[in-house]
Amino acid sequence: MRKKLFITLSLFACALTTYAQAFFGEKPKLVVGIVVDQMRWDYLSRYYDQFTDGGFKRLINDGYSCNNCLINYLPTITAIGHTSVYTGSTPALHGICGNNFYIDGHKVYCTQDDSVETVGSTSNKGKESPRNLLATTIGDQLRLHTDFQSKVIGVSYKDRAAILPAGRSANAAYWLDTKNSCFVSSTYYMKELPDWAKQVNDRMAKNKEVTTLRDSIGFNPLCGTVTTDMAIAALQGEKLGMGKATDMLCVSYSQTDVIGHEWGTRGPRTDAAYLQLDKDLARLLTALDQQVGKSNYLVFLTADHGGAHNWKFMQDHKLNGGPWHDEQGRMDMEAALEKSLGNDLEAVIQDVLDYRVFLNHQYIKEEGLDLQAIKQIIIEHLLSSPNVNYAIDFEQATNSSVPPLLRDRILMGYHPRRSGDIIFIPEPGYYDYGSWSSPVGTTHGEWNPYDAHIPLLFMGWKIPHGATSREVHITDIAPTVCQLLHIQQPNACVGEAITEITK
């Protein structure tokens, strides 16, 4: 009896050991993250019948769709979205608080780094790095886990969309120098472009359509084709997915955002952008199949934010919407301050960015002005302004009377040294018009579903086919991928793994 029990327990222990070895030992050869800039979730259904079988349809039909993925912070801006996808965190912790923001009173571009130089051209387009990023990314954690044997590379038209997803320890990031029609990097990563990247640039230099477009290439679906060319070249040139350690490729498509700002969410330009992107995705997936094998790579596709319908389009159809002008709003705030305090106070407001007011604290202190009184005057003015629902002092957000959903997103987007002083929330359908959109175009940045409801598709290695309507968040992507890889989550991660995928 004891002998039989011993044999049974031994077999059970062996089975557990085998299961554990299989579970923790198995990993995909390559992870591919794809971000489509300004892609609304409903575009998946809007264009489904027009998609080819190999692009978006393949991701949907062979993969897993999270149909209720929301952005859980404010504002919903490109640099923040790309960073949040890969860190599993929000501006409150990862520190990327906009495309442009202030660090201790000094305005910076999110990836600006004057200590590095351009690699790949003679312009200043490469004076960029991820040094303003305070948190690790999926790629950083992957490299840490493998003692930096994993390769991590970012590719995009936009510098910020290539740099921030790849993380601080990335092997490389490449983005377009549009004036010179070539991909560049910076000395943060390398001293010279690899030969395969030079060959991509040589081919681009011979492409008359690319060289003719130059700075306007972002307005053309060809921008996505060029981005795909570079991504496939990086895949092949760096032999991604062919080594012992798992590699990662981060690809962001930005032409959809440029086209959306210029022409909005409807019309032939936007239609053409997504139908061409579908073909480019099919080409990228085919290249992955050929090099890594269909069952050997894990891919996810999401967006950094969505986009509102053009306000004039909404009004034409008797729907609510309208423009908000940041610059005019700033002048009105300054006038309200002067009326209340009786001085020339133009220097008090440093900037108005992404529905946030940045105050000049140094000037306020030097002039002996009352900071709290200034905040209260601005808030009262904003609340009395047409089409503004709320105006909140960031420092008092916890005790504000805004709905809990908005309060939580405000707090998750607030970094005390980088996010400014006051945030205001326009009525649904109203957005900043002028700085980021044309009369027939659109923009983004708010909490509403048109900006905050984004696609999230997983496909490939160990991914079941299916869908869920359970609410998940942009910050859940990183911990989900990390759990599938059996590596630690990024060090500022606040998201939770999507168990329908990881179980």
Side-chain angles (χ1 to χ4, degrees):
M1 181 68 181
R2 288 182 179 179
K3 185 176 181 181
K4 288 183 178 179
L5 179 62
F6 175 76
I7 292 172
T8 300
L9 289 173
S10 297
L11 290 171
F12 181 68
C14 288
L16 284 177
T17 301
T18 302
Y19 173 78
Q21 287 174 344
F23 183 76
F24 285 101
E26 292 182 358
K27 291 180 174 64
K29 293 181 178 180
L30 178 66
V31 178
V32 182
I34 301 171
V35 177
V36 183
D37 206 322
Q38 203 185 120
M39 184 174 181
R40 295 165 53 107
W41 170 76
D42 58 356
Y43 285 168
L44 290 177
S45 60
R46 177 174 174 79
Y47 294 113
Y48 183 83
D49 290 338
Q50 299 175 68
F51 287 147
T52 63
D53 291 334
F56 282 107
K57 265 189 182 178
R58 178 179 171 189
L59 292 169
I60 295 167
N61 295 341
D62 293 353
Y64 197 93
S65 179
C66 296
N67 291 326
N68 195 21
C69 183
L70 303 176
I71 296 175
N72 53 344
Y73 53 78
L74 281 170
T76 47
I77 300 296
T78 295
I80 304 176
H82 280 82
T83 307
S84 297
V85 167
Y86 286 89
T87 62
S89 191
T90 71
L93 299 170
H94 63 55
I96 300 300
C97 297
N99 298 337
N100 298 280
F101 53 94
Y102 284 76
I103 299 179
D104 296 327
H106 301 285
K107 191 173 185 177
V108 299
Y109 176 65
C110 56
T111 54
Q112 174 185 335
D113 188 348
D114 293 334
S115 72
V116 299
E117 299 296 334
T118 303
V119 174
S121 84
T122 57
S123 74
N124 289 325
K125 184 65 176 174
K127 296 178 75 65
E128 315 283 343
S129 85
R131 286 200 171 99
N132 289 327
L133 175 60
L134 303 179
T136 59
T137 62
I138 301 169
D140 290 330
Q141 294 300 138
L142 183 60
R143 283 179 49 78
L144 281 165
H145 188 80
T146 62
D147 290 329
F148 301 93
Q149 295 303 302
S150 296
K151 290 183 180 180
V152 177
I153 293 174
V155 175
S156 183
Y157 159 81
K158 293 181 180 178
D159 45 24
R160 57 187 180 270
I163 292 168
L164 296 170
R168 292 182 64 121
S169 71
N171 299 83
Y174 303 96
W175 54 95
L176 264 176
D177 176 348
T178 55
K179 287 185 179 179
N180 292 296
S181 299
C182 64
F183 279 93
V184 297
S185 190
S186 87
T187 51
Y188 179 90
Y189 304 101
M190 64 191 74
K191 294 181 180 179
E192 185 179 2
L193 290 181
D195 288 341
W196 62 262
K198 292 178 181 178
Q199 291 169 12
V200 171
N201 285 342
D202 288 342
R203 289 194 293 271
M204 287 177 62
K206 297 174 184 177
N207 187 323
K208 290 185 178 180
E209 189 175 5
V210 171
T211 55
T212 300
L213 286 168
R214 293 191 182 274
D215 283 344
S216 62
I217 193 170
F219 297 95
N220 193 300
L222 179 63
C223 180
T225 301
V226 168
T227 301
T228 304
D229 291 343
M230 186 63 174
I232 293 174
L235 172 74
Q236 297 171 346
E238 297 293 341
K239 295 181 171 55
L240 299 180
M242 300 178 71
K244 292 183 178 180
T246 301
D247 296 323
M248 186 166 194
L249 177 63
C250 310
V251 186
S252 179
Y253 290 99
S254 307
Q255 73 282 358
T256 44
D257 182 69
V258 179
I259 290 168
H261 281 298
E262 187 68 17
W263 291 291
T265 60
R266 291 289 187 270
R269 304 270 190 165
T270 300
D271 295 348
Y274 279 93
L275 297 182
Q276 180 57 48
L277 173 59
D278 179 58
K279 296 174 183 176
D280 288 325
L281 284 174
R283 193 159 54 91
L284 176 60
L285 293 175
T286 297
L288 291 167
D289 293 342
Q290 292 172 347
Q291 177 158 314
V292 189
K294 286 186 177 182
S295 60
N296 294 325
Y297 65 87
L298 167 66
V299 61
F300 67 84
L301 181 146
T302 188
D304 53 346
H305 54 75
H309 293 311
N310 175 265
W311 66 267
K312 186 65 169 58
F313 167 85
M314 295 290 280
Q315 289 185 354
D316 289 345
H317 290 82
K318 301 180 182 180
L319 296 166
N320 197 47
W324 168 270
H325 297 276
D326 264 359
E327 194 57 41
Q328 183 62 50
R330 174 177 178 167
M331 290 189 290
D332 291 345
M333 290 178 219
E334 290 169 348
L337 286 170
E338 291 174 13
K339 182 178 179 180
S340 297
L341 301 178
N343 294 313
D344 181 6
L345 297 174
E346 286 188 13
V348 167
I349 297 177
Q350 203 163 27
D351 218 332
V352 179
L353 292 172
D354 308 325
Y355 313 101
R356 298 169 298 178
V357 181
F358 292 75
L359 297 177
N360 189 333
H361 287 251
Q362 183 176 348
Y363 176 81
I364 292 170
K365 184 177 180 180
E366 290 173 352
E367 295 297 315
L369 300 172
D370 187 331
L371 175 62
Q372 296 307 317
I374 288 170
K375 287 182 179 181
Q376 190 58 37
I377 291 167
I378 293 173
I379 288 172
E380 289 177 359
H381 164 74
L382 286 167
L383 290 175
S384 68
S385 301
N387 313 120
V388 174
N389 274 351
Y390 300 100
I392 302 101
D393 179 349
F394 269 124
E395 292 184 341
Q396 302 300 321
T398 303
N399 301 317
S400 66
S401 58
V402 300
L405 180 146
L406 298 185
R407 182 191 63 219
D408 292 345
R409 293 189 188 188
I410 289 167
L411 290 170
M412 292 297 271
Y414 174 57
H415 189 287
R417 294 184 300 281
R418 298 186 175 195
S419 294
D421 300 271
I422 296 166
I423 186 169
F424 58 95
I425 298 174
E427 290 177 4
Y430 283 79
Y431 57 80
D432 175 26
Y433 164 65
S435 59
W436 286 106
S437 63
S438 76
V440 297
T442 187
T443 192
H444 49 86
E446 301 179 48
W447 70 272
N448 311 77
Y450 47 75
D451 282 349
H453 189 187
I454 56 175
L456 177 56
L457 304 168
F458 291 85
M459 191 194 77
W461 188 83
K462 301 293 186 183
I463 300 297
H465 172 58
T468 181
S469 293
R470 180 174 68 86
E471 181 177 321
V472 300
H473 300 126
I474 190 172
T475 50
D476 296 336
I477 298 170
T480 300
V481 174
C482 288
Q483 186 155 322
L484 288 166
L485 296 178
H486 312 305
I487 63 174
Q488 188 57 271
Q489 299 172 355
N491 60 13
C493 182
V494 297
E496 299 180 0
I498 301 169
T499 54
E500 293 91 333
I501 294 173
T502 59
K503 65 182 178 181

